[in-house]
Amino acid sequence: MCNWADLPHLILYEIICRLSFFDDIFIFGAVCKSWQSVVNSFEKPPLPPKYPWIMLAEEREQGNKESQTRSFFNLSDTKTYDFNLPELVGRKCFGTSFGWLLTIGTDLQINLFHPFSKHLISLPPQPTFCRQFPFEMEPEELRGFFVFKCVLSRSPWNLETHQYDPDCIIMAIYGKVRTLAFTRPGYKAWIDVESPTLRYDDIAFYKGIFYAVDAHGEVFACCSDELFACRIDDNQKVGATAVAPCPEGTHDVIKKYIVESSGGLLLVSRVRGGRLYSYEDEDQEEEIDDDPYVTIGFTVLKLKRCTQAGSKYKYKYVEVHSLGDRALFVGDNSSVSLSASSFNGCKANCIYFTDDNFEFYGTKGGGDDMGVFSMEERDTSKPYPVESLSYFSTPLWYI
């Protein structure tokens, strides 16, 4: 019988080269010491994860002041894995896509970082944004509050050339008024997107267009072709155009997400309760009021082409009662929709959420408000056997 540990390293190397997800490479190396040695010697490409992972807060904030590791909770096998990531110490992290994180530290340098390949791409630093806070803030505060969200148009790394991809567009929500700006690998500054509104909540990239939703629920679009034509050293402006109205009955305090799912766009509204939101619903149960804030539900609308004559909007809303086989993942990450049947540990017709209510993190920090909302049963559960709190970088979906 063949001893798997004695397989020639050349064969093992060829197998690794054909794997498409970093999860598979990681599991491959866990088979035995011989296979792990091949993985360690392999120059790991920046591959995306196969399944969603939860990247937990820094262990330094949990009391381990010497730690340079970050823990990742794998939904597929419900296990927690530790990775040595000194590159993330003291840095606010956002989940983007394709396995990349956007990070910003007290040095105010902004990077795209792939935690498993260790590839790092420097982006323009915080002072290069056009709109700065109208009052002086310490670097620790800017690290935690300046950037609000980040989305990529494509992977920033070209697997064929082994260099960064200058065609990748990075769109961010930033600043006190939460406006839009973009940049590309190799640029020296962030460029503002002119918009008739402020206070954006989320961004999605769909079929060559960036869609952004503001706090009122109005959706705006910005074509990537226009962004490509805009240069830092010219006076050309790029703007966002309203394409869908504010939904009826919504409130600014209800967090909005925009998600591409099954070939369409969904507007997802997150309703919070608790002591800080009690004025919204005086009938909340007493146990909910004990918490500063807690997610109590979601509503989902689908953007549908509007054919009404004279309408200034391209889309209208249709209420969604079921997500079918899809599961949504929202929080401090690019909002994502995945097929639940494609991996173990994921429930269909559910919304998985992490705590992104940074404006109201309490004395313990943020991170408590995370769980799963069932669209069918209309209730929430907390299946994650972990507690991870942070004052500046709470747990997020790594996808």
Side-chain angles (χ1 to χ4, degrees):
M1 180 179 291
C2 174
N3 186 343
W4 292 104
D6 294 334
L7 281 175
H9 283 195
L10 181 59
I11 293 178
L12 297 176
Y13 183 87
E14 290 297 325
I15 294 173
I16 294 175
C17 289
R18 286 161 174 77
L19 299 178
S20 302
F21 301 96
F22 85 77
D23 319 52
D24 295 332
I25 296 178
F26 177 78
I27 294 172
F28 182 96
V31 172
C32 62
K33 291 183 178 179
S34 176
W35 290 29
Q36 183 63 57
S37 68
V38 178
V39 170
N40 291 340
S41 64
F42 181 72
E43 184 179 350
K44 304 176 185 65
L47 299 174
K50 190 174 184 178
Y51 313 115
W53 296 52
I54 302 176
M55 188 178 82
L56 304 179
E58 278 192 11
E59 290 188 4
R60 288 169 176 247
E61 289 197 272
Q62 318 307 313
N64 187 349
K65 300 300 182 182
E66 302 300 322
S67 176
Q68 293 187 339
T69 65
R70 289 298 281 264
S71 297
F72 289 73
F73 179 78
N74 189 345
L75 280 185
S76 182
D77 61 11
T78 66
K79 294 181 179 179
T80 301
Y81 299 89
D82 294 331
F83 296 92
N84 186 40
L85 293 170
E87 300 88 349
L88 297 183
V89 171
R91 302 187 71 83
K92 167 75 173 180
C93 298
F94 297 89
T96 59
S97 52
F98 309 104
W100 292 82
L101 300 170
L102 184 98
T103 76
I104 178 172
T106 54
D107 58 358
L108 303 185
Q109 172 59 43
I110 299 175
N111 299 322
L112 284 174
F113 179 68
H114 193 282
F116 298 100
S117 69
K118 299 299 187 80
H119 283 69
L120 185 147
I121 300 174
S122 295
L123 298 179
Q126 183 272 337
T128 66
F129 280 94
C130 292
R131 297 173 186 246
Q132 297 293 320
F133 280 106
F135 44 84
E136 186 175 352
M137 292 187 69
E138 295 296 325
E140 291 80 4
E141 295 177 295
L142 290 172
R143 170 192 61 181
F145 300 114
F146 192 79
V147 177
F148 188 80
K149 200 91 174 199
C150 177
V151 170
L152 308 179
S153 66
R154 60 196 297 174
S155 175
W157 190 261
N158 190 312
L159 292 175
E160 295 182 359
T161 64
H162 302 287
Q163 295 179 339
Y164 65 71
D165 190 338
D167 290 336
C168 171
I169 299 174
I170 303 102
M171 181 76 75
I173 300 172
Y174 81 96
K176 180 177 176 63
V177 295
R178 301 211 313 255
T179 190
L180 299 175
F182 76 96
T183 193
R184 290 161 63 183
Y187 274 24
K188 301 300 183 183
W190 292 81
I191 303 174
D192 263 14
V193 176
E194 293 191 341
S195 175
T197 188
L198 300 170
R199 297 190 64 221
Y200 283 100
D201 271 358
D202 199 12
I203 322 166
F205 185 73
Y206 174 61
K207 291 186 177 181
I209 297 175
F210 286 95
Y211 292 89
V213 59
D214 69 8
H216 314 301
E218 192 171 11
V219 178
F220 296 78
C222 183
C223 181
S224 61
D225 289 342
E226 296 181 13
L227 300 178
F228 276 121
C230 185
R231 297 289 185 267
I232 297 174
D233 54 357
D234 61 26
N235 294 321
Q236 185 175 352
K237 303 295 183 181
V238 60
T241 305
V243 295
C246 302
E248 295 183 3
T250 190
H251 301 283
D252 288 5
V253 295
I254 296 176
K255 183 68 178 290
K256 317 295 192 307
Y257 305 93
I258 188 162
V259 193
E260 185 277 324
S261 181
S262 300
L265 287 172
L266 302 179
L267 178 64
V268 180
S269 298
R270 177 176 184 169
V271 183
R272 288 187 172 100
R275 188 170 63 253
L276 296 177
Y277 291 84
S278 59
Y279 62 88
E280 287 294 315
D281 186 357
E282 296 180 356
D283 296 327
Q284 289 180 29
E285 298 180 7
E286 185 174 344
E287 60 267 24
I288 291 180
D289 284 340
D290 290 339
D291 296 313
Y293 60 90
V294 59
T295 296
I296 58 177
F298 287 84
T299 60
V300 181
L301 301 174
K302 184 174 183 178
L303 275 69
K304 183 179 179 181
R305 278 286 181 178
C306 180
T307 58
Q308 182 179 353
S311 174
K312 73 170 186 176
Y313 296 106
K314 291 184 179 180
Y315 295 96
K316 62 180 180 179
Y317 295 112
V318 178
E319 189 171 0
V320 174
H321 299 285
S322 174
L323 300 172
D325 181 50
R326 310 302 292 185
L328 308 184
F329 294 81
V330 299
D332 274 336
N333 56 278
S334 296
S335 302
V336 171
S337 167
L338 298 175
S339 170
S341 61
S342 65
F343 65 92
N344 296 327
C346 182
K347 296 180 180 180
N349 198 27
C350 287
I351 300 174
Y352 289 72
F353 59 93
T354 56
D355 192 349
D356 59 1
N357 199 18
F358 71 93
E359 294 168 307
F360 294 115
Y361 291 165
T363 56
K364 299 186 300 179
D368 269 339
D369 188 24
M370 53 190 296
V372 182
F373 176 77
S374 169
M375 290 284 289
E376 180 179 1
E377 299 174 3
R378 307 302 299 176
D379 66 359
T380 60
S381 60
K382 293 188 176 184
Y384 317 126
V386 292
E387 181 180 89
S388 185
L389 302 177
S390 172
Y391 292 102
F392 67 91
S393 192
T394 55
L396 56 86
W397 293 112
Y398 177 70
I399 297 176

